[in-house]
Amino acid sequence: MTTSLTQRDRQVIWHPYTQHKGFLPPIPVVKGKGSLLFDDEGNAYIDAISSWWVNIHGHAHPYIAEKLYQQALRLEHVIFTGFTHEPAVALAERLLPLLPGDFSRVFYSDNGSTAVEVAIKMAIQYWSNQADTGPSASGALRARPGGRNKVLAFHHSYHGDTFGAMSVSERSVFTDAFREYLFEPVFIDTPSLENLDELLSFLRLRGKEFAGIIYEPLLQGAGGMRMYDAASLDRFLSAAAGQGILCIADEVLTGFGRTGKLFAGEYLQHKADIICLSKGLTGGTMALGVTATTERIFEAFLSDDKRKTLFHGHSFTANPLACTAALASLDLLEEGRRGISYISGRHARFLETLPSYPIVRNARALGTILAFEINTGRDEYINAIAPVITRDALAAGIYLRPLGSTVYFMPPYCITEKEMDQVYDFLVHCLVQYAEQPVT
Ligand SMILES: *Cc1c(COP(=O)(O)O)cnc(C)c1O
């Protein structure tokens, strides 16, 4: 008898964010097509969270697959210092004019967290590179002008799981074990009509302490799909920039159409100095991160003094296959735009029906993302709800993975009308059933 994949997995794999004690065996997925994932018994599941927000054109897209195959036959990888290649240059050329701002340089890395690490390092070194050129007694560059040695970040933010990215993310059970090893940014509330004046006076008072601010524009994803006011953010960012603070837009989640526009930055007048991209960048096919900057930042690293170099890189920087997948994904985005507006329209209509369910709190939608909290006012219920919804959804042929009590629906842009109906019907079924029969 052959050992099942689940049994083999149990022997050798350590899964992400997974407590392996008492964990439910993972589902062996053997193929994907469009919005659907198929398990080894032929069951289909609608991927209602786009496989952790990465997949935008559906699974195993034949166009991307063909481009990847052709590229793999030509050049699979090459070191990216001292060498360059067509997919990396073509992707930068194609991406830069699409980005919301005056971006002129692309730095490649492997994922969202590394894109954030690079951005933070750029912002901090931007300031230290402006210091007097002569070395100090210790040989290190002199202190940053104006003592800009802090980073600003928002409460409830999530920027990734590596140490720098964790440092600028909200402290939580995810970061508890590492608390004393993280650098401390100053955390402030996301701007709103209520707190804007207070935040602006904070900037006037302390703005010059900060090298940069990192933020997820309009939508804090992992922090609970929290949507916040574009106009207030805009005013806050302009004021921050007025104090010389570099603005780092983390569009790892919001990029490539998720919020209805190609980038969330398009909802803002103020343009960021640095932007981080990943997730949808390759259509969810391959791991790739981009940190794009303005020429002003790039120029701060140009020097005869070698110490002003950005000393950062990864073995797989600008991997030609990943860049090819990203180029193919951009080709498909024209078609994707139709899906984006279709999903956005349906979410908006479904949203209107949600207040009629007593256990729904704070229903909201932004582009292709619909979210709400389920609440009966009892804490144990809140804690119990996420795994129950995931389990019940799987039984209904849908993959959903709530964040605590926050349920959200974020499909690939190719999802069909029927599949959308199926997910909405399931959500309604939950709202009725869990209200009658609270989960224990
Ligand atoms: C997912 C995410 C990251 C981290 O990306 P990884 O590829 O998982 O490292 C960073 N920022 C935001 C806003 C994200 O949603």
Side-chain angles (χ1 to χ4, degrees):
M1 192 185 101
T2 53
T3 320
S4 78
L5 190 62
T6 314
Q7 285 164 326
R8 284 162 53 207
D9 175 288
R10 205 179 259 286
Q11 296 305 316
V12 293
I13 302 295
W14 191 339
H15 286 272
Y17 306 112
T18 299
Q19 173 50 260
H20 276 259
K21 183 157 188 198
F23 100 122
L24 292 171
I27 297 165
V29 171
V30 293
K31 67 174 184 179
K33 188 168 174 34
S35 306
L36 298 178
L37 295 167
F38 296 89
D39 71 14
D40 58 349
E41 292 170 352
N43 299 309
Y45 305 95
I46 299 169
D47 188 353
I49 64 160
S50 299
S51 280
W52 253 339
W53 325 340
V54 301
N55 188 292
I56 58 178
H57 306 301
H59 290 282
H61 198 291
Y63 180 78
I64 301 178
E66 178 62 30
K67 293 278 184 183
L68 277 175
Y69 173 67
Q70 295 301 337
Q71 181 61 42
L73 291 175
R74 252 192 319 275
L75 177 68
E76 84 306 340
H77 187 62
V78 61
I79 176 173
F80 205 57
T81 56
F83 290 93
T84 190
H85 52 79
E86 177 66 24
V89 177
L91 177 58
E93 286 171 346
R94 187 119 173 244
L95 206 47
L96 287 168
L98 298 176
L99 299 179
D102 301 321
F103 298 102
S104 64
R105 298 281 164 176
V106 165
F107 190 101
Y108 288 109
S109 65
D110 302 341
N111 56 65
S113 302
T114 56
V116 165
E117 296 288 339
V118 171
I120 297 169
K121 285 170 87 167
M122 282 175 172
I124 291 172
Q125 196 180 342
Y126 171 88
W127 289 106
S128 71
N129 278 2
Q130 326 260 322
D132 247 338
T133 37
S136 65
S138 69
L141 287 173
R142 294 223 186 105
R144 287 166 200 95
R148 287 186 185 265
N149 56 3
K150 295 197 179 80
V151 175
L152 260 181
F154 288 135
H155 283 300
H156 305 293
S157 59
Y158 175 78
H159 298 290
D161 284 350
T162 51
F163 273 81
M166 268 198 294
S167 293
V168 293
S169 299
E170 177 81 76
R171 301 294 180 263
S172 72
V173 63
F174 287 55
T175 57
D176 276 346
F178 317 106
R179 224 165 237 258
E180 63 191 288
Y181 302 95
L182 303 178
F183 76 77
E184 285 299 325
V186 172
F187 287 105
I188 53 175
D189 289 335
T190 46
S192 64
L193 292 173
E194 291 75 44
N195 69 11
L196 187 61
D197 286 342
E198 197 186 321
L199 290 178
L200 295 181
S201 48
F202 168 83
L203 282 178
R204 279 192 296 275
L205 209 64
R206 296 189 50 190
K208 299 269 188 303
E209 295 173 23
F210 299 100
I213 171 163
I214 183 160
Y215 54 97
E216 298 155 88
L218 272 68
L219 173 77
Q220 297 183 301
M225 295 298 155
R226 305 166 79 99
M227 297 169 190
Y228 64 105
D229 181 38
S232 302
L233 175 64
D234 218 6
R235 286 198 51 204
F236 178 79
L237 292 176
S238 306
Q243 299 286 335
I245 301 173
L246 297 177
C247 295
I248 306 170
D250 178 353
E251 293 229 28
V252 168
L253 164 59
T254 51
F256 304 99
R258 271 295 163 211
T259 66
K261 295 192 192 268
L262 195 51
F263 295 96
E266 290 175 28
Y267 290 95
L268 306 170
Q269 300 292 317
H270 185 77
K271 300 302 175 209
D273 303 285
I274 304 178
I275 188 168
C276 304
L277 307 170
S278 188
K279 292 205 165 107
L281 172 61
T282 62
T285 307
M286 292 193 67
L288 182 67
V290 153
T291 310
T293 76
T294 60
E295 202 63 11
R296 173 167 73 111
I297 297 194
F298 178 71
E299 281 172 357
F301 291 75
L302 292 179
S303 174
D304 294 326
D305 183 346
K306 292 276 191 299
R307 291 166 309 161
K308 296 196 174 181
T309 308
L310 180 68
F311 289 111
H312 190 102
H314 297 278
S315 313
F316 286 102
T317 295
N319 174 257
L321 293 171
C323 292
T324 298
L327 283 163
S329 176
L330 288 177
D331 291 343
L332 297 174
L333 256 181
E334 267 317 302
E335 185 137 334
R337 279 179 201 258
R338 273 202 297 269
I340 293 166
S341 54
Y342 172 70
I343 297 164
S344 306
R346 297 235 24 208
H347 276 352
R349 286 200 298 283
F350 185 70
L351 184 66
E352 286 172 18
T353 69
L354 282 173
S356 62
Y357 300 95
I359 64 171
V360 170
R361 296 281 179 282
N362 194 20
R364 55 208 183 269
L366 178 64
T368 66
I369 301 151
L370 172 86
F372 55 86
E373 274 77 46
I374 289 190
N375 189 355
T376 57
R378 289 187 300 153
D379 283 350
E380 79 277 20
Y381 178 81
I382 288 171
N383 292 333
I385 200 80
V388 170
I389 290 182
T390 299
R391 182 198 66 200
D392 290 357
L394 285 173
I398 297 166
Y399 184 57
L400 281 172
R401 194 173 193 275
L403 295 155
S405 60
T406 304
V407 179
Y408 67 92
F409 176 18
M410 189 195 301
Y413 306 154
C414 64
I415 191 167
T416 64
E417 186 179 348
K418 223 172 119 228
E419 289 161 350
M420 289 288 284
D421 289 340
Q422 200 177 325
V423 178
Y424 290 137
D425 288 349
F426 171 76
L427 292 175
V428 165
H429 161 83
C430 286
L431 295 177
V432 173
Q433 182 184 312
Y434 300 159
E436 284 169 1
Q437 266 179 346
V439 178
T440 50

